[in-house]
Amino acid sequence: TEGGISDEAKARAASLIEEAASVLANGGTVAFPTETVYGLGADARNTEAVERIFKAKGRPSDNPLIVHIADVSQLDELVLEVNETERRLMDEFWPGPLTLVLPVRPEAVSPRVTAGLDTVAVRMPASEVALRLISAAGCPVAAPSANRSGRPSPTLARHVREDLAGAIDGIVDGGPTGVGVESTVVQAGADGTVTVLRPGGVTAEQLARAAASVTRDPALDRAAAEDSPAPRSPGMKYTHYAPKGALCVVEGPTPSGVSDYIAAELERAARRGEVTAVLAFDEHIARYKAHTVVSLGSLSQLATAAQRLYAGLRRCDEEGATFILAEACPQEGMGAAVMNRLLKAAGHHVVHLNR
Ligand code: TXA
Ligand code: MG
């Protein structure tokens, strides 16, 4: 039939979404695709349901969850106030990969969702499946990424199954997610200032078009220092996404210096018996000999690196990599989110070359 999707397939998908929605409405947990990564949803108002999310993921309970809505009309019941800047950001970027931290209306969601903070993080995802599921469930849906805590976020339903099969009530398979890294989490002042608490699918450059100023939470760039202040987004303090092997990010002033270093280190590591892996850009990838070579696409197209990063890190584990090197990329556009996740995966283990 036209468009490749038959009426029967559409009807089947619609009834699966209805079924998943009724699981959510009845206090269950369902994994579903968003445009960023797969989320593990539950009714945000239902503490027992939300506790099932924490249990399935093995997530620390002081790490609050993002609440997903399908329509801005749902905001009134969740938050006390939306300022002009926040309104502008919603108009500009919703539905889409932007999460706003807003003053929570007391009792609007389970205290397990906010981890006791007086704010709640809210976003409206751009995925059609997610929007239909949330509408049909008829409740605000709390949903962290649908991975076991400490594993890379899932960009395929298969990743969710690998991590959470048996621990959750269902998975809606919507194919690969588009963006590949999580939403950008921001706090916005009435004066137009926007603070990025977590870089993600909406870039700082895009935010700057709708804001008077855009700054990064200073804790983002001090995460490696022991005396650094707590990040304003509590989740940023955990080492997420860490592969089992030792991962190190390599950066330097010249691309050729970086690729010389990586090529030599991979060979040395292989000689001492390591199972080697490399995450690299297409401009240099032909130079590397490793057991596992993950392409992050072209340096001129960093959105591709975002799409491929998590699956690439999972592949390193699947292949039993013990020694993993990754090329750094410029912190421009989607490069900011890619570097943030890569550095966290590496436990901030970085080699800075001088030349
Ligand atoms: O793209 C995404 O945002 C995905 C998909 C499923 O929507 N969700 C996601 O959720 O990444 P999660 O739980 O893995 O990350 C939520 C982040 C954490 O860093 C958490 O600390 C922060 O949002 N957060 C949640 N509530 C907050 C609050 N009230 N204030 C500051 N940060 C908050
Ligand atoms: Mg997560």
Side-chain angles (χ1 to χ4, degrees):
T1 56
E2 212 146 325
I5 300 173
S6 68
D7 288 346
E8 297 96 285
K10 276 189 207 152
R12 205 158 54 237
S15 84
L16 282 174
I17 289 175
E18 284 301 325
E19 204 183 314
S22 81
V23 173
L24 288 177
N26 288 303
T29 53
V30 174
F32 62 96
T34 78
E35 80 281 28
T36 57
V37 299
Y38 276 77
L40 177 59
D43 180 347
R45 303 167 308 192
N46 181 334
T47 292
E48 280 174 32
V50 173
E51 273 168 358
R52 291 196 188 101
I53 291 179
F54 282 91
K55 184 151 183 278
K57 283 183 58 90
R59 181 180 175 107
S61 61
D62 66 341
N63 192 2
L65 307 180
I66 295 172
V67 174
H68 296 64
I69 58 174
D71 194 284
V72 280
S73 65
Q74 289 179 275
L75 272 177
D76 289 342
E77 67 177 82
L78 291 173
V79 306
L80 290 172
E81 195 194 345
V82 175
N83 69 36
E84 231 177 278
T85 315
E86 291 157 347
R87 189 67 66 192
R88 201 158 56 239
L89 293 173
M90 291 171 191
D91 287 345
E92 190 76 22
F93 298 107
W94 280 6
L98 181 71
T99 296
L100 291 158
V101 174
L102 302 166
V104 67
R105 190 176 280 284
E107 326 263 286
V109 295
S110 163
R112 303 283 274 128
V113 168
T114 55
L117 299 172
D118 56 7
T119 53
V120 61
V122 184
R123 90 175 188 100
M124 189 193 296
S127 140
E128 197 55 44
V129 172
L131 290 172
R132 282 164 57 194
L133 176 66
I134 298 161
S135 306
C139 60
V141 176
S145 49
N147 50 284
R148 282 282 305 171
S149 236
R151 293 268 291 154
S153 294
T155 54
L156 293 170
R158 172 169 65 79
H159 298 156
V160 180
R161 261 178 246 122
E162 283 166 6
D163 283 13
L164 300 178
I168 61 178
D169 298 316
I171 304 177
V172 178
D173 186 343
T177 59
V179 177
V181 294
E182 298 85 344
S183 61
T184 303
V185 180
V186 301
Q187 224 157 12
D191 57 355
T193 56
V194 172
T195 308
V196 174
L197 309 188
R198 176 179 77 177
V202 171
T203 66
E205 292 85 344
Q206 289 173 310
L207 288 170
R209 284 190 236 125
S213 73
V214 179
T215 52
R216 280 161 67 93
D217 180 357
L220 283 175
D221 302 305
R222 262 178 279 146
E226 273 173 21
D227 59 350
S228 63
R232 278 154 75 183
S233 176
M236 298 311 283
K237 70 174 181 284
Y238 296 103
T239 342
H240 275 296
Y241 330 118
K244 294 185 190 103
L247 167 63
C248 180
V249 180
V250 184
E251 63 183 15
T254 67
S256 65
V258 168
S259 55
D260 286 345
Y261 176 89
I262 291 179
E265 286 301 309
L266 286 172
E267 284 186 28
R268 268 156 49 121
R271 275 201 299 273
R272 60 172 192 265
E274 304 264 17
V275 179
T276 58
V278 62
L279 290 88
F281 291 92
D282 289 349
E283 283 79 354
H284 323 119
I285 205 159
R287 297 203 46 197
Y288 303 138
K289 285 192 205 67
H291 180 78
T292 302
V293 178
V294 174
S295 161
L296 295 176
S298 168
L299 273 169
S300 66
Q301 191 57 260
L302 294 176
T304 305
Q307 285 170 344
R308 295 182 181 177
L309 180 64
Y310 288 143
L313 290 171
R314 280 177 183 263
R315 220 182 111 205
C316 290
D317 281 350
E318 285 157 20
E319 309 265 341
T322 58
F323 179 91
I324 311 159
L325 293 177
E327 287 182 359
C329 68
Q331 303 232 8
E332 291 155 16
M334 285 299 293
V338 170
M339 279 301 285
N340 174 265
R341 306 306 193 272
L342 204 47
L343 289 170
K344 283 176 56 159
H348 292 269
H349 189 192
V350 185
V351 171
H352 301 273
L353 303 173
N354 294 320
R355 59 185 181 88

